[in-house]
Every structure is written in structure tokens, then in C-alpha cells.
Amino acid sequence: MLHSGHESTDGADGGELAVPMAWLYAEYIADELLRTGDLMPPTSFEFRAGRDALALTVFLSDTDGELSGIRVISQLENWLSLTAYDQPWQDWVRERLAELTGRAAGSGTPSPDLALAVEAWRWLEETELLAPDLDAVPGGGAVSGEDEGPKVWTPAWRLGLPLGHLAIHLF
């Protein structure tokens, strides 16, 4: 999504206002997938984690810079494979961000899309959410409700990624 998705306005200094259209479009797709799945309230941190993980997947998987509304359906299988449980998604994100950052540095033109993607990744890595401990030993005790089971603090991407994956399935 490195297309020239920049709108401009003529200011007093003749500068341009760069609008991160590629990132905003990826975020819109992710938001729609999650809202369609109706898995979490849109105001929750879990929803944001899922949206950011999906938006990163959509943004970083667009290697041709031509993501359009028509191609969204054809990309669902690709996004499913990237977000699957047994895939090293976080390593893929780091590699793609490094690659795009290198390209942007080489061109000398800052990318507002890339800046938002980097910020989303930083939030997903640095923010921890309290989530059910899926690695807890089964049969360790009687748990009557979801909120009463063992919980652990986990990076937001570890919660958002499976949520995003499930939203793609439900779409």
C-alpha cells in the first residue's frame, strides 16, 4: 500500500498535507471485518487489538500497493494464512516494517501510512491486556464462569491476532 494516497491542500507555505489513505483503508477493512463478526464491543481494548492486528496484516500484505475494494475478498485466504495460530505473525510484521522503513529511508520521503503502522505495532507490543490463560493446566480446579478462570497479562497482539483471525472466518 505504498501508492500515492496523499491528498494535498495549498497552504500559505505551499506545503502539502499528507493523508495516510493506505493505512486508513486497511484500518477500515479491519474494522468492518470485526464489526461484522460481532465478537467484541467496538469500544473495548480487545476490539482495538483485533483491529490493529488485522489492519497491520492488511497493510503489510499489500506488496503491490494496489489494495482496492474489489480485491478484499480475494485476499481473505491470504490474511487467514498470515493470522493462523501456527504462523510467526509477529516476526513477519517486524520484517515487513523493517523492509518498508528501509525503502522509505532510501526514498527520503516520510510515509504517514508507515508511521501509523509502526505506531499500531508499538501499541500492540507494549500494551498488555488481561486475558484468559489458554495454557493453564486443564482440570486444575472447578471454574464456573469465564471470568473466574486463570488470567494472565499478555501483549495486545496475542489477543488481537486470534480475534482478527476469527473475524475473517466469520466474514
Side-chain angles (χ1 to χ4, degrees):
M1 284 194 196
L2 297 175
H3 58 74
S4 57
H6 301 272
E7 300 295 326
S8 66
T9 59
D10 293 328
D13 62 355
E16 293 184 349
L17 173 64
V19 178
M21 294 305 295
W23 176 257
L24 293 174
Y25 188 56
E27 204 172 49
Y28 169 76
I29 291 169
D31 194 75
E32 285 300 309
L33 287 169
L34 283 166
R35 285 179 190 270
T36 301
D38 196 26
L39 299 169
M40 291 282 165
T43 56
S44 69
F45 283 113
E46 292 84 356
F47 185 91
R48 178 180 175 186
R51 185 193 65 217
D52 284 1
L54 270 178
L56 275 170
T57 304
V58 170
F59 178 75
L60 296 174
S61 67
D62 184 32
T63 57
D64 298 330
E66 299 177 352
L67 186 62
S68 67
I70 291 174
R71 288 194 44 221
V72 168
I73 299 300
S74 67
Q75 289 295 312
L76 290 175
E77 286 299 320
N78 182 37
W79 299 336
L80 273 174
S81 68
L82 288 168
T83 59
Y85 177 75
D86 60 347
Q87 297 300 310
W89 181 82
Q90 70 281 12
D91 295 334
W92 174 78
V93 168
R94 288 184 192 111
E95 289 168 11
R96 288 288 294 144
L97 286 174
E99 180 184 326
L100 294 176
T101 301
R103 280 192 212 161
S107 73
T109 307
S111 167
D113 296 302
L114 183 57
L116 288 174
V118 167
E119 185 58 34
W121 177 237
R122 183 176 301 122
W123 185 85
L124 285 167
E125 272 193 313
E126 294 176 0
T127 302
E128 291 192 345
L129 301 175
L130 192 59
D133 185 1
L134 300 178
D135 296 325
V137 178
V143 177
S144 60
E146 178 183 317
D147 291 333
E148 296 175 22
K151 305 257 186 191
V152 294
W153 288 99
T154 185
W157 72 264
R158 288 192 184 266
L159 192 59
L161 188 62
L163 183 63
H165 184 80
L166 183 56
I168 295 169
H169 266 295
L170 294 174
F171 185 75

